[in-house]
Amino acid sequence: MIVFDLRCAEGHPFEGWFGSSQDYAAQQSRGLVTCPQCGSHDISKAPMAPAVPTKGNRRDDRNDGRQLTNTPIPPEVERAMRALAAAQAKALENSRWVGDSFADETRAMHYGDKDLEIIHGKATLAEAKSLLDEGIEVAPLPFPVAEPDKLN
């Protein structure tokens, strides 16, 4: 299989999977390749970078510039997400990571067995529901948080 980055005359990007370059050419000449967004048959190959895998012990979390959705994110949504991420980062500045013991730590503070402090960690859905059933206020974070011991 070969994957081509394709683009229609309207500029809509999409991927096409073909058995070979010849299969792509044959389907293109018969008018079988169409834009999934607008239905245009005026399709061309977009410039592609070679897919070179990184070393197995390296991880690259940078955005490579490719769009992650099939439609552009509206500017107001992007601004709201950035503001929410900044607010979460600010809130976590004075918070202590407790990992998998989040439910136990929260429960101990709620019942007075430990001093109150701001914490964050991991809880299963069942643990979170149990805390809420007990009247303990908890809320999920909108964005994932990297565990401190797994950061470089």
Side-chain angles (χ1 to χ4, degrees), residues 74-143:
E76 60 274 10
V77 172
E78 186 174 345
R79 282 192 300 275
M81 289 177 67
R82 288 186 190 280
L84 189 56
Q88 176 176 304
K90 180 80 174 152
L92 293 180
E93 283 178 2
N94 300 314
S95 180
R96 181 172 63 92
W97 171 259
V98 295
D100 292 326
S101 64
F102 178 79
D104 295 333
E105 294 275 334
T106 302
R107 197 171 273 116
M109 286 187 278
H110 178 76
Y111 291 113
D113 297 331
K114 285 192 167 194
D115 290 337
L116 292 176
E117 66 175 311
I118 300 169
I119 63 171
H120 65 285
K122 296 193 286 186
T124 66
L125 181 58
E127 289 172 326
K129 285 181 178 180
S130 177
L131 291 169
L132 292 171
D133 289 344
E134 292 177 51
I136 302 171
E137 294 181 7
V138 295
L141 293 171
F143 297 102

Side-chain angles (χ1 to χ4, degrees), residues 18-34 39-43:
F18 301 92
S20 66
S21 293
Q22 294 79 13
D23 285 346
Y24 165 76
Q27 290 181 36
Q28 176 72 356
S29 68
R30 293 182 7 227
L32 299 176
V33 181
T34 60
S40 172
H41 293 282
D42 189 1
I43 307 296

